[in-house]
Amino acid sequence: MAIADLFTRPAAVPADGGGASSGAAAFGRRPVLAGAGLEDLFAWVDQVAALTQPDRIHWVDGSRAENEALLRQQVDEGKLIKLNPEWRPGSYLARSHPSDVARTEARTFIASAREEDAGPTNNWVAPDEIRATITPLFEGAMRGRTMYVVPFSMGAVGGPLSHIGVQITDSAYAVTSIGIMTRVGTAVVEQIAAGTPWVKTVHSVGAPLAPGAPDAAWPCNDEKYIVHFPDTLEVWSFGSGYGGNAILAKKCFALRIASVIGRDEGWLAEHMLLIRVISPEGRRFHLAAAFPSACGKTNLAMLRPTIPGWRVETLGDDIAWLRPGEDGRLWAINPEAGFFGVAPGTGESTNVAAVETLWGNTIFTNVALRPDGDVWWEGLTDDVPAELTDWEGKAWTPASGRPAAHPNSRFTVSAGQCPQIAPDWETPAGVPLDGILFGGRRATNVPLVVEATDWTHGVFLGSNISSERTAAAEGTVGELRRDPFAMLPFCGYNMADYFGHWLKVGQQLRFDRAPRIFQVNWFRKGDDGRFLWPGFGDNARVIDWIIRRIEGRVPAVDSPIGRLPRTDDLNLEGIDVPQADLEALFQIDRDLWLQETDLTEDFYRTFDGRVPAALYAELAALRYRLRATA
Ligand code: OXD
Ligand code: MN
C-alpha cells in the first residue's frame, strides 16, 4: 500500500468513532491545514511510516472523545485495568513488563557530532554509527500496530517561553500519558504550519505484531535505545514503554534537547519544581528548586506549611524553563501539564495534596490493586490492606515479604487537579523567580540551609549537588553520588559547558533582581543515624527564613561555606528540635569540608579542563576560608 493511502484510512478507533458524539469519527485523520511548515511535517511522517510500516496512522487531535476511545481500546486489549469508578473515577492501572520499570540510563545516548560536546557524564555515540544501529531496529517495528502522530506543546501553545514537538509512537499508553503531561492537539499543528520550529521525536515499543498474533499487555523489547540527536533536535526511542523512555516530551525533550536549545538561545532547561510561596502578609514569592530524583521534589512542590499563615501554590513538580527577561529578572515556566510522580511514599502524612490530586482521571502504573477495584501503594495509608494484587498481578498479603507496588510505580495526572495549583499556573509568560534552591540527600557536612554569597557562588553550590552513596566511615565523607544541578542524567551537552552557561545566564540578570541562590539539605543525620530535621511540612520553616533573607529582613552569619541562619532566626514554634540537633544541623567540620573540596577538585578534573575558571576560583576561595579560619 502506498504511504499516502495510509493517511486516508480510518483512525484506530471503533468504526463508530468510539466517542460519545457521532461526530467523533473524524478524529485520527491528518489535519486539513495549509502552511509551508507542514511540508516538512508530512514528509517526516511519511518517512517514519515507510520505515516502521504501521498498519494505520492516527493523527492525535487531543480531544476528549479521542482520549476516551483510546482508553477504552486499551481496556479492551487488556493493557489497562479500569479502576472502580466509585473510588477512582476515570482512572486506570497499567502493569508493565517486569523488566521495563524505569528510565534506562545505560541505554540513553547523546549523539552529538563531537564526543566532547556530550562530555564525560553522558553516553556518547557517533550520530552516523547510531543511526546505522537503530534504523534496522525501527524497520518494520510498527507492523501490525497503529502509528500515532502526537503534536504537543511544552508550555502554553504559542507562549513566549514555549516550544513544540511531535511524537510518533506505536503505544496508545504513551499517547494517553502524553495527553496528560503536555498540551496536545491541532493548535500545535497550526503553529507548525505557520513555520514555528519543532522537535522530532520517534518512539516504538519495538514489538511488531504478526497478522492475527496476540498482543502483550505491555509490549516492549529486551533491546533498548533512547537516542538524542542534539544537532538536529531529534529523539529516537526504541524498546521501552516506560514513561521516562516513552513520553519523549518529558526528560528527552524538555530537559536533554531543551538544555541544548537553551544553551544556544540563552536560557536554561532545568530539573526543578516551581512554587509560589505566599507569606502571612500576602506577599508572593516564586522559588524553583533542583533536587536529584527521589529526594522529595513532588513533596516540596505541594508543600502544606506547618507554620500558620503561610501558603504554597504549586506551579510545577519536575521541570522548569528559565529565561532572563528584559527587566533583568529570571522568568520561569513549568513546560509540563501534568505530574508523572512516584507513588510509594506519597500518603496522607507526607503529601496530602498529591493524594487529593489523584482522586480520579489518573493513569497508575505498577501500583497494587485492591479487591474493591481501587489502588494502593506502600505509604498511601498507615494501615496495610489484608489482601492485594501486586504490581505483577500476583496475589499479595502483608506476609508476602515483598512490596505490593513497585518502588518506581507511578501516577500520571493533570496538574490542574492539584488542589493547591496556582490559579495562573498556565500563564504563558511565566513567573519571575525570587530564589533558587539546590538540594541533595546528605547525611553529613551540608547544613540545613546555606545562602550563596552571589550568583557565581550559587553556581558552584549547584555544581556540587550530591547524595551519599554509602555511609561514611568515622572522620571521612561518604562516597558521593554527584548530581550537579540534579541534571546529571538530563543535561544534553557537556556538563562543564553547562556550568559555564549558568554563569553566562547570570550575567544577563540585573544584580539586584537575580534570584538568590540557596543550598538546602533536609537529610542531615546525627552521629546516631537519626534525621536531625523533621522535614515535610516543616521545611516551610526553612522557606520562611529564605523569604526573609530575600526581603532583607533578617541578617545571616558568614561562614566558610556560605551564609547561615542565626539559629534563633528560624521559626521553630510548635516543633521540638533539641538545641544539640539544631547546632549539629549547621555544624561545619573543617577537616571534612577540606576532604570534600578534594573530592570536588577530582570531580571537576574529570572534565578535561572545561570547567570554568570561575568555579575553580570558588573552590580555591572555599579552601582558603576553611584553612584561614581553622
Ligand atoms: C523523574 C525522574 O521521573 O527524575 O522525574 O526520574
Ligand atoms: Mn525528575
Side-chain angles (χ1 to χ4, degrees), residues 103 250-251 255 271 291 293 297 317-319 490:
R103 287 187 292 103
K250 191 174 176 63
K251 303 297 189 182
L255 288 176
H271 190 203
F291 293 86
S293 306
K297 228 161 72 249
D317 82 324
D318 194 43
I319 298 177
F490 306 122

Side-chain angles (χ1 to χ4, degrees), residues 153-176:
S153 178
M154 302 309 286
V157 180
L161 278 72
S162 303
H163 281 267
I164 57 175
V166 179
Q167 177 164 337
I168 286 177
T169 178
D170 55 7
S171 158
Y173 167 85
V175 176
T176 41

Side-chain angles (χ1 to χ4, degrees), residues 502-540:
W502 260 86
L503 294 172
K504 256 201 235 154
V505 168
Q507 284 161 7
Q508 307 201 5
L509 305 172
R510 252 179 63 168
F511 81 96
D512 58 338
R513 292 194 171 172
R516 302 268 279 276
I517 300 180
F518 299 82
Q519 181 176 34
V520 295
N521 176 28
W522 320 133
F523 302 98
R524 191 147 176 184
K525 289 186 174 168
D527 292 339
D528 52 3
R530 236 177 352 106
F531 285 115
L532 294 169
W533 180 247
F536 300 107
D538 287 319
N539 293 336

Side-chain angles (χ1 to χ4, degrees), residues 245-456:
N245 302 327
I247 307 170
L248 302 184
K250 191 174 176 63
K251 303 297 189 182
C252 298
F253 174 10
L255 288 176
R256 298 193 190 97
I257 294 290
S259 64
V260 174
I261 300 174
R263 175 195 65 190
D264 298 342
E265 293 183 352
W267 53 277
L268 295 159
E270 295 301 319
H271 190 203
M272 288 179 174
L273 64 88
L274 190 58
I275 51 176
R276 172 179 297 139
V277 183
I278 305 175
S279 75
E281 303 79 26
R283 287 194 295 275
R284 293 150 43 112
F285 304 88
H286 297 107
L287 304 178
F291 293 86
S293 306
C295 283
K297 228 161 72 249
T298 303
N299 291 347
L300 186 58
M302 300 181 191
L303 187 73
R304 291 267 165 104
T306 51
I307 35 179
W310 288 86
R311 274 197 308 125
V312 167
E313 288 180 351
T314 306
L315 288 150
D317 82 324
D318 194 43
I319 298 177
W321 286 353
L322 320 179
R323 191 190 278 268
E326 278 170 15
D327 58 357
R329 305 192 74 175
L330 191 58
W331 288 76
I333 60 164
N334 164 21
E336 301 191 277
F339 307 127
F340 177 64
V342 177
T346 305
E348 299 287 343
S349 56
T350 55
N351 191 340
V352 67
V355 173
E356 289 171 5
T357 304
L358 304 175
W359 63 267
N361 306 322
T362 304
I363 299 177
F364 296 94
T365 305
N366 289 341
V367 299
L369 184 64
R370 297 170 56 111
D372 63 2
D374 196 6
V375 283
W376 190 84
W377 52 81
E378 279 71 18
L380 174 62
T381 54
D382 290 341
D383 294 341
V384 178
E387 32 167 324
L388 292 166
T389 307
D390 75 5
W391 68 277
E392 292 191 82
K394 298 183 188 139
W396 184 96
T397 71
S400 297
R402 59 177 196 276
H406 186 277
N408 192 35
S409 55
R410 298 280 177 150
F411 52 79
T412 312
V413 67
S414 282
Q417 273 192 204
C418 177
Q420 61 193 67
I421 195 80
D424 56 342
W425 72 282
E426 299 198 84
T427 185
V431 295
L433 281 186
D434 299 292
I436 293 176
L437 277 52
F438 293 126
R441 192 180 265 274
R442 291 295 306 269
T444 61
N445 266 13
V446 178
L448 178 62
V449 59
V450 190
E451 182 186 343
T453 45
D454 59 17
W455 184 270
T456 308

Side-chain angles (χ1 to χ4, degrees), residues 426-509:
E426 299 198 84
T427 185
V431 295
L433 281 186
D434 299 292
I436 293 176
L437 277 52
F438 293 126
R441 192 180 265 274
R442 291 295 306 269
T444 61
N445 266 13
V446 178
L448 178 62
V449 59
V450 190
E451 182 186 343
T453 45
D454 59 17
W455 184 270
T456 308
H457 184 227
V459 173
F460 176 73
L461 296 179
S463 76
N464 277 302
I465 294 184
S466 50
S467 301
E468 259 105 358
R469 197 196 294 268
T470 56
E474 208 177 323
T476 63
V477 184
E479 194 195 339
L480 297 181
R481 181 188 191 276
R482 295 203 165 255
D483 191 353
F485 293 82
M487 281 288 279
L488 190 74
F490 306 122
C491 184
Y493 62 102
N494 191 311
M495 197 102 218
D497 297 352
Y498 165 84
F499 299 162
H501 183 56
W502 260 86
L503 294 172
K504 256 201 235 154
V505 168
Q507 284 161 7
Q508 307 201 5
L509 305 172

